[in-house]
Amino acid sequence: DGGITQSPKYLFRKEGQNVTLSCEQNLNHDAMYWYRQDPGQGLRLIYYSQIVNDFQKGDIAEGYSVSREKKESFPLTVTSAQKNPTAFYLCASSTQRGNTGELFFGEGSRLTVL
Amino acid sequence: DAKTTQPNSMESNEEEPVHLPCNHSTISGTDYIHWYRQLPSQGPEYVIHGLTSNVNNRMASLAIAEDRKSSTLILHRATLRDAAVYYCILRGPPDYKLSFGAGTTVTVRA
């Protein structure tokens, strides 16, 4: 089945550690996105990539890093510089159709910093 | 980025219509209006989008004001499975990214 796979679903880390969240899609989509969601809040855009080997900062990029070496993959690293990393992280992709393309979301990764 | 304004919450009875308003007074001529919904502990899912004309699909209808400064998502017969957070979002150039606000939490009473 085509879709977006995020892993791990749940992740615990100690303060000061970097952690990488995986996002893979087999939809042949050009654009990929990372969002963060805190309890009771909407989604906030961290980073997005419209094409391989290119990505842009979203609204809350500080403390995060990404790479886009392959079309299918867009991993997110939560670094120790992120002051409050405990959150629900969502990855999405869409065709590069400008303003009409639909976003498809993964099931999310829930990160807890102990 | 053009912003949207939605009520925090709305309640409905099962099998009755739900009208979800969205204001977007600073919308530009090339911005599309998108709606997504998010069920608890899941990622959002696409509902509908439009530019100027009203749109219908199997999930909902989208009514867009003539001046495009507001729109309404219509769920024709609410079911318990429609209880979710509904997001109204504008998408347009130059980056076409989707920025989600807090949305409207819809509660459906049996």
Side-chain angles (χ1 to χ4, degrees):
Chain A
D1 283 355
I4 299 178
T5 303
Q6 289 188 240
S7 62
K9 193 167 185 176
Y10 297 95
L11 185 62
F12 298 88
R13 79 150 211 221
K14 295 181 181 178
E15 277 194 37
Q17 288 181 333
N18 291 356
V19 63
T20 297
L21 307 179
S22 169
C23 178
E24 303 279 330
Q25 55 101 357
N26 59 6
L27 300 168
N28 199 33
H29 286 171
D30 288 308
M32 296 187 74
Y33 307 80
W34 273 106
Y35 290 89
R36 168 185 172 137
Q37 187 172 36
D38 294 287
Q41 306 293 315
L43 282 69
R44 291 185 289 168
L45 183 63
I46 305 172
Y47 268 97
Y48 62 104
S49 168
Q50 294 180 328
I51 198 168
V52 174
N53 292 322
D54 187 44
F55 50 82
Q56 288 79 38
K57 292 182 179 180
D59 302 318
I60 55 163
E62 185 175 350
Y64 299 98
S65 66
V66 292
S67 63
R68 187 81 188 280
E69 297 176 1
K70 298 188 298 181
K71 189 175 185 178
E72 305 79 33
S73 179
F74 191 40
L76 174 75
T77 297
V78 185
T79 75
S80 56
Q82 168 51 232
K83 295 191 189 318
N84 187 16
T86 295
F88 187 47
Y89 290 88
L90 287 157
C91 179
S93 71
S94 75
T95 55
Q96 186 59 7
R97 293 181 195 163
N99 45 13
T100 60
E102 171 186 344
L103 252 66
F104 293 82
F105 282 84
E107 294 188 345
S109 293
R110 196 168 297 276
L111 172 64
T112 303
V113 174
L114 303 172
Chain B
D1 291 344
K3 301 295 183 191
T4 63
T5 304
Q6 299 177 252
N8 290 334
S9 62
M10 292 190 73
E11 290 189 356
S12 174
N13 294 318
E14 203 173 8
E15 301 204 357
E16 289 185 355
V18 182
H19 291 240
L20 300 175
C22 181
N23 289 322
H24 28 78
S25 58
T26 60
I27 190 171
S28 74
T30 51
D31 285 340
Y32 274 71
I33 302 158
H34 286 248
W35 284 83
Y36 283 75
R37 73 179 186 181
Q38 185 178 22
L39 279 66
S41 299
Q42 295 185 23
E45 65 174 343
Y46 168 83
V47 177
I48 201 167
H49 76 271
L51 182 63
T52 56
S53 303
N54 294 346
V55 185
N56 300 297
N57 66 20
R58 62 175 180 81
M59 289 182 71
S61 295
L62 177 61
I64 301 172
E66 196 168 335
D67 64 5
R68 298 206 333 122
K69 293 186 177 181
S70 65
S71 60
T72 302
L73 180 72
I74 303 164
L75 308 177
H76 294 286
R77 292 183 64 188
T79 69
L80 297 178
R81 287 175 294 179
D82 291 322
V85 179
Y86 287 78
Y87 298 99
C88 169
I89 306 152
L90 301 182
R91 191 178 194 193
D95 48 35
Y96 303 103
K97 63 182 183 181
L98 281 166
S99 295
F100 290 71
T104 298
T105 299
V106 171
T107 304
V108 180
R109 294 184 292 256

